Amino acid sequence: MAWQRVASFSEIDVDGVLGVDVNGSPVALYRLSNEVFATSGICTHALALLSDGFVEDGRIECPLHQGQFDVRSGKALCAPVTEDLRTYAVKLEGDDVFIDMERPAASAPAVANAAPNCKAGDGVRNAEEGDQAGTRKIATMNVDPELSLTKRYVWPAEGLTRIPDWVYTDQTIYEREIERIFHGRTWNYVALECEVPKVGDFIRSNVGPTPVVVVRADDGSINVVENRCSHRAAEFCRELSGNVKEFVCPYHQWSYDLQGNLAGVPFRRGVNGKGGMPADFNNAQHGLRRLNVTTHRGVVFASYLDDMESFQNYLGPEVLNEFEATFDGRKPRLLGYYRHTLPGNWKLYHENLKDPYHATLLHTFLVTFGLLVAGNRSLMLADATGRHGVMASAKSERKSVSSDAKKEMRAYRDGMTLAEPRFMDFVEEFDSPWSVTMATIWPNLIIQREMNTLGLRQIIPTGPHEFIMKWTMFGFEGDDEEMTRHRLRQGNLMGPAGFLGLEDNEAIKFVQDGMQHVPGGQHLVKLDPAVAAGTSDSLISEASIRAMYRHWRAEMGL
Amino acid sequence: MSEPAVTRHSPPDGAPLDSQLAQALDEQRLSDWTEMFTDDALYVILSRENYDRGLPVGLIYCENKRMIHDRAFALMETSMFAPRYLRHIIANQVVVSVESNGTIKSRANYVVLQVLFDRPDATLHQVGVYYDVFRRVGGELKLAERRCVYDNLLVPNALCIPV
């Protein structure tokens, strides 16, 4: 961008401020003697127009909370403002004032540090002076600041130990995630093979927010197609699951075979020689959007990219090893679903399972009944890319908890016992040193192996502030009735009413709530500085969260 | 005076106990709620999706009163969730059958409304059907079986108090 004429010199009062609107962005122009300076027109503290403020001694005072900035350098001078104003280069040609919004003001002489707090009476006195001045001109302005003004996608200078709130709350960021992550170079969980055992069996599923249908075709292959008619975009498949010979869109009866090929278009040639599709209309070019599909040990994944690496490579050796410890070759058997909404950003769910710190502190149930104590053997694994992770721990026999640990865990109580303790039993069935593993498979899957209650949690984002979680609970073929019932009893731990699950959902909601009304906020993820980002053998660590954001930033170009 | 048998005017349904159960839940007196079950009571909350397909997974799955007790105890003593007010509203009670030993099979529609403290609205937290079995224990009517089958498949965030 180049110089733009924004005002006449004569419009700006000496020691005054003039607000102008430049390409939708409020800009404040100040005149000190014969010099003109320009800054962003919105206070960095709260949403207030600086052109409603007062200029004194080369400072602009915000009308709302009396924060002050140096008009030459934009520097924030006193509470409550802490962030400097953006400045813009200014030049004068005759009576015309030009600014360049891409160039900051030339470095100005340092201004002596002001008193750390403004005098309490300042605002009142200035208001009186302002009234006397009387003639301040304010250009007609758009009081709703443009996005470009308030949204700055700049990662905090501290690096990965801080996560800015806009990562979780911003619509533009969310849309970019759909494009670059869920529709990008990822394998997305969509189903278990046992949900579509026979030809024509289908379930509805999602890749990111996008509805898809997973269907077993005549040749036995599993196909994943967008649930969107190629004619008018209707979401044609409405049942959650079922068996069909073909898919027919109810709107205009376009029909598709089980691989998504367009089979029939009613009145394609029109009626009585009139209407209909153009003569060159080719069904082969108008099938349903088909995704790349892979399966591993009975679990189905889909990708929008056709040139994906193999699923095994995608997981990396360590996470693949944990995947195969849970899916150990036995055939999964469907036990049912939980579905819930969660009013939080989808990444918070990954973070919750890359945050073993919370486990003993939030989930006092675990501590109370000795399932997890701070000293249990555990691992927080991150793959080489940082996108996947496995939180693992080994159940210990209930033993005395050290007094230090008790102090830290607010709900610990000696001697608390369950009336029906068997639901917490662990039946050894896996070739693994861990009794509990939570594998976070980027970007949309959590594999829950909480002792003997097993589930796949599928993240379906619906916006920056909410996602749907679909839990597919399973056992294995060969489970006897008692084992199935044991899994169901133990299922009380998880899901949206689970002793642990409900707490996770509440905590994540609280985090999203906390970001709603605090502009410019950041999260602190500093635990375990010995590990910059990646695998840690300490539970008191956020190194895996940092690893995830290293990956996320690279994928997002931020 | 002999105990009046079933009269035409007041069928021996579980409605009064339903009201007591609902009131205990509304007031979050979960240990009182627990005491209204028989020792071998089944208490399961499951989605209509699972119920219709014969899939057994439940949001809450208690096979006996001890598990119901543990659920109540854990919710009151260890669980973390935002404070809330709830109203359980039960309607359309229908007695399906009354057996000779006094066991009553019945069903009823239910609605649970939830109020969080920072919003003006009461939201429809759950809507569904109770499939119940009531039985007399020592002359007192108790709940021997309750399957809460909910229609709103997407649970709003978390179910913290039983339905």
Side-chain angles (χ1 to χ4, degrees):
Chain A
M1 205 195 286
W3 293 106
Q4 287 180 279
R5 187 191 176 281
V6 293
S8 303
F9 181 68
S10 54
E11 284 180 271
I12 314 172
D13 294 332
V14 177
D15 287 329
V17 55
L18 176 70
V20 293
D21 187 88
V22 183
N23 312 323
S25 296
V27 170
L29 301 171
Y30 315 89
R31 180 168 160 196
L32 304 179
S33 169
N34 285 325
E35 283 181 277
V36 174
F37 300 90
T39 69
S40 158
I42 300 277
C43 182
T44 56
H45 167 240
L47 216 56
L49 285 174
L50 293 173
S51 53
D52 292 334
F54 305 92
V55 178
E56 189 177 39
D57 298 335
R59 305 169 178 196
I60 174 72
E61 182 185 89
C62 177
L64 203 52
H65 302 106
Q66 288 75 54
Q68 295 183 2
F69 303 90
D70 182 78
V71 305
R72 297 177 177 85
S73 63
K75 202 158 186 51
L77 295 174
C78 66
V81 298
T82 54
E83 191 184 334
D84 297 351
L85 286 174
R86 280 184 72 173
T87 62
Y88 307 119
V90 179
K91 70 173 179 182
L92 296 172
E93 285 182 13
D95 192 45
D96 293 327
V97 180
F98 292 81
I99 70 167
D100 185 341
M101 292 189 67
E102 302 222 316
R103 204 184 312 187
S107 60
V111 176
N113 279 342
N117 280 294
C118 303
K119 282 169 288 185
D122 274 3
V124 175
R125 183 167 53 80
N126 286 349
E128 285 165 2
E129 285 172 7
D131 285 341
Q132 283 162 13
T135 53
R136 282 184 313 121
K137 290 174 189 159
I138 308 229
T140 309
M141 288 186 47
N142 176 6
V143 290
D144 293 320
E146 287 288 312
L147 282 177
S148 59
L149 229 167
T150 51
K151 302 289 171 68
R152 292 176 219 163
Y153 304 114
V154 178
W155 200 274
E158 290 90 341
L160 290 168
T161 59
R162 305 291 166 108
I163 306 170
D165 286 0
W166 50 256
V167 163
Y168 308 99
T169 58
D170 188 275
Q171 181 69 21
T172 305
I173 293 294
Y174 169 72
E175 286 166 13
R176 198 173 171 106
E177 287 176 335
I178 304 312
E179 186 187 314
R180 297 206 176 188
I181 295 172
F182 294 102
H183 287 201
R185 193 157 293 283
T186 51
W187 281 118
N188 292 262
Y189 165 78
V190 289
L192 279 172
E193 279 199 66
C194 70
E195 293 176 276
V196 287
K198 298 190 298 291
V199 170
D201 284 349
F202 72 86
I203 67 160
R204 288 184 58 164
S205 186
N206 295 79
V207 171
T210 308
V212 298
V213 180
V214 182
V215 56
R216 176 88 63 176
D218 306 276
D219 62 357
S221 66
I222 292 179
N223 293 267
V224 178
V225 294
E226 278 188 357
N227 189 358
R228 174 191 161 104
C229 181
S230 61
H231 176 217
R232 293 301 308 277
E235 208 174 299
F236 58 86
C237 177
R238 309 305 300 192
E239 295 291 335
L240 294 170
S241 62
N243 184 279
V244 291
K245 291 195 163 32
E246 60 175 358
F247 291 106
V248 179
C249 178
Y251 195 3
H252 303 97
Q253 306 285 314
W254 285 36
S255 63
Y256 301 91
D257 69 18
L258 299 179
Q259 300 196 349
N261 299 305
L262 179 59
V265 175
F267 304 112
R268 184 180 153 187
R269 296 178 199 287
V271 174
N272 297 331
K274 291 182 181 173
M277 278 292 177
D280 62 354
F281 182 84
N282 182 357
N283 282 10
Q285 290 169 357
H286 297 277
L288 299 172
R289 174 80 185 259
R290 276 177 78 172
L291 278 65
N292 190 3
V293 179
T294 192
T295 63
H296 190 64
R297 303 246 172 131
V299 191
V300 187
F301 295 84
S303 177
Y304 270 84
L305 297 190
D306 289 327
D307 59 345
M308 278 298 293
E309 62 188 311
S310 73
F311 181 71
Q312 287 86 336
N313 280 349
Y314 181 71
L315 286 196
E318 291 168 309
V319 176
L320 182 64
N321 190 44
E322 293 297 336
F323 183 99
E324 293 181 345
T326 301
F327 294 97
D328 56 7
R330 288 178 289 171
K331 279 190 152 179
R333 178 157 77 191
L334 181 65
L335 295 178
Y337 303 100
Y338 306 126
R339 301 170 189 264
H340 63 84
T341 55
L342 208 166
N345 184 271
W346 66 275
K347 297 185 293 302
L348 292 171
Y349 209 94
H350 281 269
E351 291 172 43
N352 186 56
L353 293 171
K354 294 176 189 288
D355 162 22
Y357 179 48
H358 88 279
T360 62
L361 299 170
L362 174 64
H363 301 312
T364 50
F365 183 89
L366 290 178
V367 178
T368 304
F369 300 108
L371 188 65
L372 186 67
V373 293
N376 272 10
R377 204 157 50 85
S378 60
L379 179 70
M380 186 62 242
L381 174 76
D383 78 317
T385 69
R387 59 192 166 184
H388 314 302
V390 181
M391 181 154 65
S393 63
K395 188 186 184 186
S396 62
E397 290 312 305
R398 185 172 175 138
K399 55 188 176 216
S400 61
V401 175
S402 77
S403 56
D404 268 6
K406 281 183 201 171
K407 243 186 334 205
E408 295 291 324
M409 300 180 290
R410 64 182 165 85
Y412 182 82
R413 295 189 205 177
D414 278 313
M416 192 184 270
T417 52
L418 290 162
E420 181 65 292
R422 68 177 172 156
F423 102 100
M424 294 297 285
D425 289 349
F426 176 41
V427 179
E428 295 267 3
E429 60 173 325
F430 302 102
D431 181 15
S432 166
W434 309 115
S435 52
V436 175
T437 59
M438 295 286 164
T440 39
I441 308 297
W442 189 255
N444 77 332
L445 176 64
I446 288 89
I447 304 171
Q448 165 198 317
R449 178 161 74 79
E450 176 81 34
M451 299 188 289
N452 303 111
T453 178
L454 311 174
L456 295 167
R457 308 181 194 169
Q458 181 184 3
I459 293 171
I460 303 162
T462 54
H465 298 289
E466 188 179 81
F467 62 96
I468 290 169
M469 186 66 94
K470 175 185 174 186
W471 305 52
T472 303
M473 308 305 292
F474 64 95
F476 294 108
E477 282 185 13
D479 288 350
D480 60 18
E481 197 200 329
E482 181 45 35
M483 187 63 179
T484 298
R485 283 169 68 150
H486 174 58
R487 296 193 199 284
L488 295 170
R489 287 192 296 265
Q490 206 158 68
N492 280 298
L493 289 172
M494 291 298 176
F499 293 125
L500 316 188
L502 79 87
E503 294 178 323
D504 288 324
N505 291 12
E506 284 286 281
I508 289 169
K509 176 180 187 293
F510 293 177
V511 172
Q512 198 75 19
D513 285 348
M515 293 188 285
Q516 294 303 308
H517 306 291
V518 183
Q522 296 179 355
H523 296 230
L524 188 65
V525 283
K526 270 183 121 106
L527 288 175
D528 196 12
V531 182
T535 298
S536 176
D537 60 5
S538 169
L539 284 175
I540 314 304
S541 177
E542 289 162 335
S544 274
I545 296 177
R546 294 192 289 272
M548 183 181 103
Y549 277 101
R550 195 181 53 201
H551 178 73
W552 183 87
R553 289 177 64 184
E555 295 295 292
M556 294 286 285
L558 288 164
Chain B
M1 188 175 135
S2 63
E3 197 184 11
V6 176
T7 68
R8 267 184 303 167
H9 298 102
S10 57
D13 62 30
L17 185 59
D18 266 349
S19 300
Q20 288 174 42
L21 285 156
Q23 202 175 344
L25 290 174
D26 288 349
E27 293 169 6
Q28 300 184 22
R29 291 183 283 106
L30 297 191
S31 51
D32 292 348
W33 173 75
T34 304
E35 289 312 311
M36 297 178 214
F37 289 89
T38 63
D39 288 344
D40 61 349
L42 178 79
Y43 178 78
V44 181
I45 306 175
L46 74 170
S47 68
R48 180 151 299 278
E49 175 184 22
N50 289 346
Y51 181 82
D52 286 350
R53 293 181 60 186
L55 298 169
V57 158
L59 289 179
I60 294 180
Y61 184 90
C62 296
E63 285 183 341
N64 55 48
K65 188 175 176 176
R66 295 188 301 282
M67 291 185 74
I68 298 170
H69 167 271
D70 287 341
R71 169 64 66 165
F73 181 81
L75 288 176
M76 292 293 100
E77 301 295 330
T78 77
S79 293
M80 190 291 295
F81 51 88
R84 61 200 63 213
Y85 300 136
L86 295 159
R87 292 286 157 218
H88 293 68
I89 295 163
I90 303 169
N92 296 11
Q93 284 126 321
V94 174
V95 174
V96 177
S97 67
V98 182
E99 284 159 36
S100 53
N101 64 359
T103 298
I104 304 161
K105 288 190 176 169
S106 66
R107 51 171 288 175
N109 290 352
Y110 71 89
V111 164
V112 181
L113 297 170
Q114 174 171 289
V115 177
L116 298 178
F117 295 177
D118 51 2
R119 297 293 311 156
D121 37 359
T123 55
L124 190 112
H125 196 63
Q126 197 164 90
V127 54
V129 180
Y130 291 140
Y131 296 97
D132 292 334
V133 176
F134 294 93
R135 199 168 66 215
R136 285 199 183 276
V137 178
E140 219 177 328
L141 201 61
K142 301 251 183 188
L143 194 50
E145 207 173 298
R146 168 159 282 180
R147 284 189 175 78
C148 316
V149 178
Y150 61 93
D151 298 328
N152 51 328
L153 302 181
L154 282 175
V155 174
N157 197 37
L159 187 136
C160 304
I161 300 291
V163 298

